[in-house]
Amino acid sequence: AQKVTQAQTEISVVEKEDVTLDCVYETRDTTYYLFWYKQPPSGELVFLIRRNSFDEQNEISGRYSWNFQKSTSSFNFTITASQVVDSAVYFCALSGGEYGNKLVFGAGTILRVKS
Amino acid sequence: SQTIHQWPATLVQPVGSPLSLECTVEGTSNPNLYWYRQAAGRGLQLLFYSVGIGQISSEVPQNLSASRPQDRQFILSSKKLLLSDSGFYLCAWEELKSLSGNTIYFGEGSWLTVV
């Protein structure tokens, strides 16, 4: 079975601090996809990134970066120099294998950035 | 570009009343479509998905049903709402790129309160 664990329920940081959101996944499949979504207070889920299981290259997009490590089944998300607008719930998700294209979500991490 | 819209954005319904949430996708054809629910505990649960007109798969037994009368239209319904149906409902569509993996994009969401 597939499972995504986001152990951090809530994180509070002060603006300009760096913050890392952890994501650990479980799957028996060799081909799978990992995602991060942002859910601001408005509720809409905003797609941030998708990684394929065969591509372990880390990715950077502006202040966002992602560290994918198959050896530890982790796909962590780091925000550099956090801003108040980063405050949201962040979800890690997994798809592929026996679940096909359906997303299995983690419980989410609430990030609060204080000014 | 592709867009997804769902409505109504917010509704308050009495127990026992019917429900109809509608979702439409523009700018793509034959998308996979999904309905997710997010209860108060923040977790996202897949309710239904559809790979084509009239093709609906249900993930969990419940008081809800889904229909896909047109290629880019997905409707979530109930004949008689229960208090437990309260939550945030998200429609999503899937961008199909079979070689590099698929990405699921979400609509704005609909807040349902059953009273």
Side-chain angles (χ1 to χ4, degrees), chain B residues 37 45-48 57-64:
Chain B
R37 177 169 61 197
Q45 180 185 39
L46 176 62
L47 301 176
F48 301 96
S57 295
S58 174
E59 287 296 296
V60 293
Q62 58 205 317
N63 186 43
L64 303 168

Side-chain angles (χ1 to χ4, degrees), chain A residues 15-70:
Chain A
E15 214 171 10
K16 299 184 181 178
E17 286 185 10
D18 298 345
V19 58
T20 295
L21 309 181
D22 297 333
C23 173
V24 174
Y25 62 92
E26 296 177 28
T27 180
R28 289 178 292 185
D29 301 300
T30 55
T31 300
Y32 53 89
Y33 305 92
L34 294 162
F35 303 79
W36 276 97
Y37 287 87
K38 174 182 179 180
Q39 187 177 40
S42 61
E44 180 181 359
L45 273 174
V46 179
F47 166 75
L48 295 178
I49 189 173
R50 181 192 73 233
R51 299 301 285 174
N52 308 323
S53 57
F54 43 86
D55 182 3
E56 282 192 77
Q57 279 192 341
N58 293 328
E59 184 159 338
I60 298 175
S61 176
R63 296 185 297 107
Y64 294 171
S65 62
W66 290 270
N67 184 355
F68 177 25
Q69 292 195 345
K70 291 178 75 172

